[in-house]
Amino acid sequence: AQSVTQPDIHITVSEGASLELRCNYSYGATPYLFWYVQSPGQGLQLLLKYFSGDTLVQGIKGFEAEFKRSQSSFNLRKPSVHWSDAAEYFCAVGARGAQKLVFGQGTRLTINP
Amino acid sequence: EAQVTQNPRYLITVTGKKLTVTCSQNMNHEYMSWYRQDPGLGLRQIYYSMNVEVTDKGDVPEGYKVSRKEKRNFPLILESPSPNQTSLYFCASSLERTGGADTQYFGPGTRLTVL
């Protein structure tokens, strides 16, 4: 069965520190991978996606993610976080011809000043 | 502006009183979907539609109905709401008919409380 695991429910980092949010997936087909961000009181916004090609993907707001097929992972990174990055982050997986995306449980990010 | 709109944004109702949450997109997208978001459970799909008059169940369809009479609209209907349907609901759409192969664009959410 397809599944996405985000092992960290809540992460706290200091402003200016680096960030890595983990995402592991289990999927039978070649995966399409997504990271979405949900700011408080808002809908989900796409940060970045990976379909094929270069396994290091750049997104909006200075985020990047790296697809590692051997580890079934798609971790999200940012070199230096800003207070405005406080939000909930969701990893999702789909595939060509798939009828839906499968979402992880989400990781809530808190930024300390 | 390209967007997905939902109404209402907030709703408090009582058990058994039928309600409809509307969803509309102006991007001419083929695929539309409803999700509910609950703490610790992420987003779970309720129903989806790949085309007008074509709808199918997602992971948690019990207690919900949908319709897709027009391409732009995809209302969610709770005919007899119960307290376990208290949740945050999101509508989403994507250009591709297969929603798992494309970016999904989300509405702002509807927070529903059933007393």
Side-chain angles (χ1 to χ4, degrees):
Chain A
Q2 304 105 331
S3 67
V4 176
T5 302
Q6 295 180 243
D8 304 305
I9 295 173
H10 184 203
I11 285 182
T12 301
V13 299
S14 298
E15 190 167 15
S18 64
L19 172 70
E20 182 169 29
L21 302 182
R22 295 182 290 165
C23 173
N24 294 97
Y25 66 89
S26 173
Y27 208 81
T30 299
Y32 290 178
L33 294 155
F34 305 80
W35 273 101
Y36 284 86
V37 60
Q38 182 184 20
S39 298
Q42 306 291 318
L44 279 72
Q45 180 185 18
L46 180 74
L47 279 176
L48 48 80
K49 61 186 178 184
Y50 171 79
F51 285 4
S52 65
D54 191 346
T55 56
L56 185 61
V57 180
Q58 301 299 320
I60 62 171
K61 305 185 180 188
F63 286 91
E64 67 178 25
E66 186 171 13
F67 171 55
K68 293 185 177 180
R69 185 184 300 274
S70 61
Q71 298 177 19
S72 297
S73 70
F74 189 57
N75 295 347
L76 182 71
R77 301 193 294 249
K78 187 171 185 178
S80 176
V81 298
H82 186 262
W83 63 265
S84 60
D85 294 324
E88 187 147 22
Y89 292 80
F90 291 94
C91 181
V93 63
R96 182 176 182 180
Q99 291 177 349
K100 67 176 186 178
L101 292 179
V102 177
F103 284 85
Q105 303 93 323
T107 297
R108 184 160 64 93
L109 175 65
T110 299
I111 308 294
N112 279 337
Chain B
E1 179 189 356
Q3 59 183 346
V4 178
T5 57
Q6 295 178 227
N7 283 291
R9 293 288 311 278
Y10 302 90
L11 179 59
I12 301 174
T13 190
V14 295
T15 298
K17 185 176 181 182
K18 181 179 179 180
L19 67 91
T20 299
V21 184
T22 64
C23 173
S24 183
Q25 51 92 5
N26 62 1
M27 296 171 280
N28 202 36
H29 282 175
E30 299 287 339
Y31 181 96
M32 297 186 75
S33 179
W34 276 103
Y35 296 89
R36 60 178 289 172
Q37 182 183 10
D38 302 290
L41 297 178
L43 277 79
R44 294 180 292 168
Q45 190 180 51
I46 302 170
Y47 269 94
Y48 65 93
S49 169
M50 294 194 290
N51 207 341
V52 175
E53 302 290 3
V54 178
T55 63
D56 208 346
K57 296 178 181 178
D59 299 314
V60 288
E62 294 78 18
Y64 304 95
K65 287 177 57 177
V66 293
S67 68
R68 187 98 182 268
K69 294 184 171 59
E70 305 166 281
K71 195 172 187 179
R72 63 184 293 125
N73 295 325
F74 190 47
L76 179 70
I77 303 155
L78 285 71
E79 297 221 327
S80 183
S82 63
N84 64 10
Q85 293 178 299
T86 292
S87 188
L88 180 58
Y89 291 87
F90 288 102
C91 181
S93 70
S94 68
L95 183 61
E96 294 288 334
R97 292 178 64 186
T98 48
D102 194 12
T103 301
Q104 291 193 21
Y105 295 85
F106 284 80
T110 295
R111 184 165 293 282
L112 172 65
T113 302
V114 183
L115 302 175

